[in-house]
Amino acid sequence: MIFPKKGTALAPMRALTQAPFWRLLNRYGAPDAYFSEFVRVHEHYVIESAWIEEALAAVEGRPLWVQLMGNDLKALEASIRILEQYPIAGIDFNVGCPVPKIFKKQAGGGSLRDLPLLRSLLLGLRQTCTKPLSVKFRIGFDSDKD
């Protein structure tokens, strides 16, 4: 199951949507699908199998979407290839994070400041990802000031 037509999902929240919180939700009324907090992907980052296995165990068979964020297409593609070896529901690409230290690096919402880069990232992700791909994005910024 990817995602039910009618259902609830736990949106990603930094430092909260992790396995211990998911296990707590499972006791009191779990959502129909889970989204991980963002995984900041860069040239030297490798997704750890222990993290994926813990996340999958914590969602107790419900669909798990893994949210990735970054601007290095090769690193993102490598992460997707690793993730697709596991029974995740899909990949959610973060183009919405408004945190200044993130968007100053052209990641998260900062990707919107370089639309040609964003286009190449999305096209590359779509070509690489064999599972469903979603994009979390923001409409824009109120100001171009950092």
Side-chain angles (χ1 to χ4, degrees), residues 106-135:
Q106 295 301 91
S111 301
L112 294 169
R113 295 178 175 190
D114 186 344
L115 294 179
L117 171 63
L118 179 57
R119 182 178 192 279
S120 69
L121 290 172
L122 293 174
L123 288 172
L125 294 176
R126 180 65 279 158
Q127 288 178 347
T128 302
C129 192
T130 63
K131 295 189 181 259
L133 174 67
S134 67
V135 180

Side-chain angles (χ1 to χ4, degrees), residues 83-100:
L83 288 167
E84 288 195 332
Q85 296 173 30
Y86 294 87
I88 63 168
I91 301 292
D92 183 48
F93 186 59
N94 182 321
V95 185
C97 184
V99 176

Side-chain angles (χ1 to χ4, degrees), residues 35-142:
F35 284 73
S36 75
E37 64 181 16
F38 69 78
V39 176
R40 175 75 170 96
V41 178
H42 52 80
E43 179 183 11
H44 303 292
Y45 180 78
V46 177
I47 291 181
E48 297 176 14
S49 60
W51 175 81
I52 301 167
E53 290 166 5
E54 180 184 22
L56 286 166
V59 300
E60 296 182 356
R62 289 174 184 82
L64 172 65
W65 289 73
V66 176
Q67 186 181 113
L68 301 180
M69 180 172 61
N71 60 18
D72 182 323
L73 182 56
K74 289 184 186 207
L76 287 162
E77 290 171 336
S79 293
I80 288 171
R81 285 188 200 98
I82 291 169
L83 288 167
E84 288 195 332
Q85 296 173 30
Y86 294 87
I88 63 168
I91 301 292
D92 183 48
F93 186 59
N94 182 321
V95 185
C97 184
V99 176
K101 76 178 190 176
I102 300 294
F103 71 71
K104 286 179 183 178
K105 296 177 182 176
Q106 295 301 91
S111 301
L112 294 169
R113 295 178 175 190
D114 186 344
L115 294 179
L117 171 63
L118 179 57
R119 182 178 192 279
S120 69
L121 290 172
L122 293 174
L123 288 172
L125 294 176
R126 180 65 279 158
Q127 288 178 347
T128 302
C129 192
T130 63
K131 295 189 181 259
L133 174 67
S134 67
V135 180
K136 172 187 172 182
F137 68 94
R138 63 185 310 107
I139 293 173
F141 288 89
D142 293 335

